[in-house]
Amino acid sequence: MALTNSQYDCLMRQYEQRQLDNENRLRQRFEEVYANLPALREIDHRISELSLIQARKLLDGDENALAALKEQLHQLFREKNELLTSAGYPQNYLELHYTCPDCRDTGYIGNQKCHCFKKAIIDFLYTQSNLQEILQKENFDTCSLEYYSPNHIDPLTGRSSLDAMKTALSTCRDFVDDFSSEFHNILLYGDTGVGKTFLSHCIAKELIEQSFSVIYFTASQLFDIFAKNRFDKDEDAQMDEEHIYNCDLLIIDDLGTEFSNSFTSSQLFICLNERILRRKSTMISTNLSLDDLKNLYSERVFSRITSAYTVLRLTGDDIRIQKKLMNKN
């Protein structure tokens, strides 16, 4: 998931274009204001001329030039602001307007990547994946309850598959609505093909559109990154792991389909625990039962999940099979 050099260059070109666009819009605002307020153009000319005159005085050794310049410039800028506001313009109308004021659209604050650049990396990589197309098809708007029967009763809970899906759908919507103000995690488990991955896509689409950083991995992909970082000291994997811990929402799909061992168990605990400590939300889907989760990943993983996650069980007939039967008919 780390950026290649070409991907990084592509992102930086986007930031450079953003800066050019901002400067172009500023020039257009100047042209507009000068056309409507010729007096303001004259003030700007006076500011430029005055700065040049006083600079020459400073070079000639006039010690009072700087103080005099500050006083005169202060008066001219006040006149300029009064002229702007009296004409109905905002006071900062003739200043550069940044998309991200924190980094001023450079992508960096000092030597550190700005939060907007970190999000741009994740969004860029998300766009590069096939999930972008999937999210257009699988979202809350396309979610249908027609595949869930009120007559299919889960022997474990005594609830119908329809009731279980209604509860899960409501919980997922609330998860999205409260995402910016409350810290929650979700575990979806149950039968194969009953909409667990679909619901994770619904949440991903909504949060991405709200400018939250979302990363989606199958369990196999996730543990492959951890292994490359631990055993191969892979730089890309190291960067990927940083994103995994810091993204707003991490989606782990099909937990239990990977090759499980003591390494995957320990890494899963580290990942989940670290994200809980950082108050970063995680969503997990699995076909495993709760007992299988405990047996496969250890008591401490199971305890961390059950204590910090909303656990939702989905049951019913495989929707993919239902769709195939409908198409045949």
Side-chain angles (χ1 to χ4, degrees), residues 88-296:
Y89 291 104
Q91 199 171 52
N92 66 344
Y93 194 66
L94 295 180
E95 298 174 8
L96 265 176
H97 296 170
Y98 300 105
T99 307
C100 178
D102 294 333
C103 68
R104 298 191 172 188
D105 296 333
T106 63
Y108 283 81
I109 300 176
N111 294 325
Q112 301 297 316
K113 292 186 181 71
C114 180
H115 59 85
C116 71
F117 192 77
K118 292 178 181 178
K119 184 188 179 304
I121 291 173
I122 293 171
D123 289 348
F124 182 85
L125 294 168
Y126 217 100
T127 304
Q128 296 290 303
S129 73
N130 60 359
L131 277 179
Q132 198 72 11
E133 183 177 346
I134 291 173
L135 298 186
Q136 299 305 315
K137 299 176 182 177
E138 298 189 0
N139 52 69
F140 284 126
D141 292 335
T142 62
C143 183
S144 174
L145 295 175
E146 66 176 313
Y147 301 105
Y148 301 89
S149 171
N151 301 318
H152 188 292
I153 304 301
D154 182 3
L156 186 64
T157 63
R159 304 184 68 205
S160 70
S161 63
L162 178 60
D163 286 339
M165 183 56 179
K166 285 181 178 179
T167 299
L169 190 58
S170 175
T171 301
C172 289
R173 288 186 182 276
D174 290 342
F175 179 85
V176 169
D177 292 340
D178 300 335
F179 192 82
S180 61
S181 58
E182 298 183 21
F183 170 63
H184 290 299
N185 305 289
I186 292 179
L187 170 70
L188 288 168
Y189 82 104
D191 296 338
T192 301
V194 290
K196 299 185 295 295
T197 300
F198 188 101
L199 284 175
S200 69
H201 289 164
C202 291
I203 288 177
K205 184 176 188 296
E206 292 295 320
L207 293 182
I208 289 172
E209 290 181 353
Q210 293 179 38
S211 297
F212 291 106
S213 55
V214 179
I215 297 179
Y216 172 102
F217 282 123
T218 64
S220 297
Q221 292 171 328
L222 183 73
F223 291 121
D224 183 55
I225 289 172
F226 291 150
K228 286 181 178 178
N229 186 28
R230 293 295 178 277
F231 304 127
D232 301 337
K233 306 301 180 184
D234 185 274
E235 291 185 4
D236 287 346
Q238 183 177 1
M239 189 177 297
D240 289 346
E241 193 165 319
E242 180 184 335
H243 295 320
I244 287 167
Y245 289 140
N246 289 319
C247 65
D248 295 318
L249 175 65
L250 172 65
I251 298 176
I252 307 173
D253 196 22
D254 279 337
L255 184 66
T257 57
E258 77 287 350
F259 178 75
S260 300
N261 51 37
S262 59
F263 173 78
T264 57
S265 178
S266 65
Q267 289 302 303
L268 180 62
F269 177 80
I270 292 170
C271 177
L272 302 187
N273 191 59
E274 185 64 28
R275 287 187 59 79
I276 289 171
L277 293 175
R278 300 187 189 192
R279 297 186 68 78
K280 298 292 186 179
S281 295
T282 306
M283 185 172 186
I284 302 171
S285 70
T286 180
N287 296 333
L288 298 174
S289 68
L290 295 182
D291 285 340
D292 289 338
L293 272 176
K294 180 165 59 175
N295 294 331
L296 194 60

Side-chain angles (χ1 to χ4, degrees), residues 50-113:
L50 182 62
S51 299
L52 183 60
I53 291 171
Q54 298 295 42
R56 287 172 179 166
K57 289 183 178 180
L58 277 173
L59 291 174
D60 291 338
D62 186 347
E63 296 180 356
N64 298 319
L66 184 58
L69 173 62
K70 286 182 178 179
E71 183 177 344
Q72 291 172 300
L73 286 179
H74 177 73
Q75 177 61 31
L76 288 173
F77 279 120
R78 188 172 67 180
E79 291 178 18
K80 181 177 177 178
N81 289 335
E82 289 175 353
L83 191 58
L84 264 179
T85 54
S86 64
Y89 291 104
Q91 199 171 52
N92 66 344
Y93 194 66
L94 295 180
E95 298 174 8
L96 265 176
H97 296 170
Y98 300 105
T99 307
C100 178
D102 294 333
C103 68
R104 298 191 172 188
D105 296 333
T106 63
Y108 283 81
I109 300 176
N111 294 325
Q112 301 297 316
K113 292 186 181 71

Side-chain angles (χ1 to χ4, degrees), residues 297-314:
Y297 296 106
S298 79
E299 181 71 42
R300 65 175 186 165
V301 171
F302 182 75
S303 175
R304 213 71 181 101
I305 291 176
T306 53
S307 64
Y309 282 63
T310 298
V311 179
L312 300 169
R313 177 174 166 83
L314 293 181

